[in-house]
Amino acid sequence: MQKYLLSIYQPDGGPPPPEILDPIVRDLDALNDEMRAAGAWVFAAGLHPPGTATVLRPKGADVLMTDGPYTEGKEHLGGFTVIQAPDLDAALAWGRRLAGVTTLPVEVRPIQ
């Protein structure tokens, strides 16, 4: 089976208040359990805020190190799930469910 990366993009800024976030987390846990039961779930993780990132950029024989995200934007990669699916349509179906649960954009991409 092909593996796919489901990348979750979230807006910059702090997390939503508990009355919004708690149901999302509950529904996300249920979806992850459903993916596990279906044999699709491989791995998932949330990421710390983009300000905690360190970017390493090759420059000639050196590598420059800078704090913060690689690019500035209004949204950032907030977390991801790796799944296995028989084809892109099945991966997109899981991605669609993930976007619905998180209420955030999800990018579905095959892993080489």
Side-chain angles (χ1 to χ4, degrees), residues 3-78:
K3 289 188 175 54
Y4 294 86
L5 176 67
L6 309 181
S7 302
I8 303 165
Y9 292 95
Q10 65 187 61
D12 285 340
E19 61 270 13
I20 294 174
L21 186 59
D22 290 350
I24 291 171
V25 170
R26 181 195 64 232
D27 292 347
L28 181 58
D29 287 342
L31 179 59
N32 284 337
D33 288 343
E34 188 177 339
M35 286 184 200
R36 283 184 191 97
W41 191 90
V42 175
F43 178 75
L47 301 173
H48 286 279
T52 64
T54 302
V55 177
L56 304 170
R57 188 170 301 155
K59 183 150 185 156
D62 292 328
V63 175
L64 302 177
M65 189 172 8
T66 57
D67 292 333
Y70 176 69
T71 59
E72 295 296 322
K74 295 183 189 308
E75 62 184 20
H76 60 273
L77 181 62

Side-chain angles (χ1 to χ4, degrees), residues 5-9 77-81 98 104-109:
L5 176 67
L6 309 181
S7 302
I8 303 165
Y9 292 95
L77 181 62
F80 61 90
T81 300
L98 185 59
L104 296 169
V106 172
E107 176 184 301
V108 177
R109 187 183 267 185

